[in-house]
């Protein structure tokens, strides 16, 4: 569809970014996005999938967006959802919007970025550009982590919001692509719970790598990891190797 094409184009238009994408669908029998995401997750090979974008951006899509956020929260830090919303209730501070709901639920695995319906209709997908750029940080390399705030993106226009509107967006722990002194960039970027996105992503990364490397040590150590101080030190060294990177 044109929407999916726009999102994929934004993903691969960044100077740095992710190298591949999965495109899923919501079948007629799926009650909501949570059902659709669960079915996609059951597909072989989905272990590599972490960052999630939605093609639903309107105010009327809030229930679907929240169902995706609720699902991600239940996935033991293995999935993350970026909600792009054109709902003007977010910058205007009108109660009942999706950013307020994500904040009220204190979701750590979901973040909200506001984008105007004008920019979305023009084919610009700031959520895809942003997620790709920051998803391209090389967390497996020393010093590879980066901030999700104050980043410039290719192929998207800054939102013409007032200072008061930006303040209201931030008050919901949401963000937007704005402009200050002629410089466009993503504003302060947090999860619904108020944590800096990069901090939560690093925690998710550390958990995944610790599980992988500790399991590898347990499986490959012959004949076993002994129940001794030496065995404990072996596991501690394995864990420290992950922490030294992060």
């Amino acid at each position: 569809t044109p929407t999916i094409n726009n999102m994929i184009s934004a993903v691969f238009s960044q100077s740095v970014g992710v190298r591949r994408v999965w495109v899923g669908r919501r079948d007629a029998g799926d009650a909501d996005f949570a059902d659709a995401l669960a079915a996609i997750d059951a597909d072989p090979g989905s272990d590599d999938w972490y960052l999630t974008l939605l093609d639903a951006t309107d105010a009327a899509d809030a229930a679907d967006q929240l169902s995706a956020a609720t699902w991600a929260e239940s996935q033991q830090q293995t999935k993350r959802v970026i909600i792009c919303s054109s709902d003007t209730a977010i910058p205007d501070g009108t109660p009942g919007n999706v950013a307020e709901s994500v904040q009220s639920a204190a979701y750590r695995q979901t973040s909200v970025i506001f984008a105007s319906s004008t920019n979305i209709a023009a084919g610009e997908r700031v959520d895809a550009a942003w997620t790709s750029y920051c998803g391209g940080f090389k967390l497996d390399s020393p010093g590879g982590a980066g901030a999700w705030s104050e980043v410039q993106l290719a192929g998207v226009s800054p939102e013409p919001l007032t200072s008061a509107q930006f303040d209201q967006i931030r008050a919901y722990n949401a963000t937007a692509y704005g402009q200050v002194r002629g410089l466009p960039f993503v504003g302060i970027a947090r999860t619904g719970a108020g944590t800096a996105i990069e901090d939560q992503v690093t925690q998710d990364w550390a958990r995944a790598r610790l599980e992988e490397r500790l399991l590898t040590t347990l499986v490959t150590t012959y004949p076993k990891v002994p129940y001794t101080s030496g065995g404990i030190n072996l596991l501690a060294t394995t864990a420290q190797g992950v922490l030294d990177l992060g």
Side-chain angles (χ1 to χ4, degrees), residues 82-107:
I82 303 297
I83 292 174
C84 179
S85 177
S86 62
D87 186 359
T88 56
I90 298 174
D92 292 345
T94 305
N97 62 75
V98 68
E100 181 185 55
S101 297
V102 170
Q103 181 187 50
S104 296
Y107 283 156

Side-chain angles (χ1 to χ4, degrees), residues 211-230:
E211 290 177 352
E212 293 166 359
R213 297 193 184 184
L214 288 171
L215 179 60
T216 298
T217 299
L218 289 169
V219 171
T220 61
T221 301
Y222 181 83
K224 67 176 182 179
V225 174
Y227 294 100
T228 64
S229 58

Side-chain angles (χ1 to χ4, degrees), residues 2-245:
T3 298
I4 298 301
N5 290 338
N6 291 337
M7 296 172 76
I8 293 174
S9 177
V11 165
F12 293 121
S13 294
Q14 306 311 305
S15 57
V16 296
V18 300
R19 294 179 293 179
R20 61 177 178 170
V21 298
W22 283 60
V23 178
R25 68 178 186 273
R26 178 180 177 179
D27 289 335
D30 295 330
D32 52 25
F33 273 19
D35 278 358
L37 288 168
I40 296 167
D41 191 38
D43 189 272
S46 66
D47 285 349
D48 288 339
W49 156 43
Y50 172 64
L51 296 166
T52 309
L53 300 173
L54 310 173
D55 64 354
T57 60
D58 295 337
D61 296 319
D64 279 335
Q65 293 167 338
L66 288 173
S67 74
T70 302
W71 178 83
E73 204 70 18
S74 71
Q75 298 304 300
Q76 303 297 314
Q77 294 180 244
T78 63
K79 308 297 181 192
R80 177 164 300 280
V81 169
I82 303 297
I83 292 174
C84 179
S85 177
S86 62
D87 186 359
T88 56
I90 298 174
D92 292 345
T94 305
N97 62 75
V98 68
E100 181 185 55
S101 297
V102 170
Q103 181 187 50
S104 296
Y107 283 156
R108 293 181 174 274
Q109 301 303 116
T110 298
S111 298
V112 177
I113 185 166
F114 172 80
S116 66
S117 57
T118 300
N119 283 345
I120 293 174
E124 298 184 9
R125 286 305 297 258
V126 65
D127 55 330
W130 180 43
T131 301
S132 178
Y133 185 94
C134 297
F137 295 148
K138 301 185 183 303
L139 300 186
D140 287 323
S141 302
W148 284 60
S149 304
E150 286 83 45
V151 296
Q152 289 190 314
L153 305 171
V156 292
S157 305
E159 298 294 343
L161 299 166
T162 67
S163 295
Q165 287 176 315
F166 271 111
D167 287 343
Q168 183 58 64
I169 290 170
R170 285 194 293 268
Y172 286 133
N173 290 336
T175 192
Y177 194 62
Q179 184 169 263
V180 176
R181 298 186 183 276
L183 288 173
F185 56 87
V186 176
I188 295 173
R190 298 189 178 98
T191 68
T195 307
I197 296 177
E198 58 267 24
D199 290 348
Q200 191 60 54
V201 168
T202 299
Q203 290 180 38
D204 297 349
W205 168 86
R207 175 172 177 159
R209 292 294 180 265
L210 284 169
E211 290 177 352
E212 293 166 359
R213 297 193 184 184
L214 288 171
L215 179 60
T216 298
T217 299
L218 289 169
V219 171
T220 61
T221 301
Y222 181 83
K224 67 176 182 179
V225 174
Y227 294 100
T228 64
S229 58
I232 293 172
N233 288 335
L234 176 61
L235 295 176
T237 299
T238 299
Q240 190 61 54
V242 172
L243 300 178
D244 286 345
L245 288 176

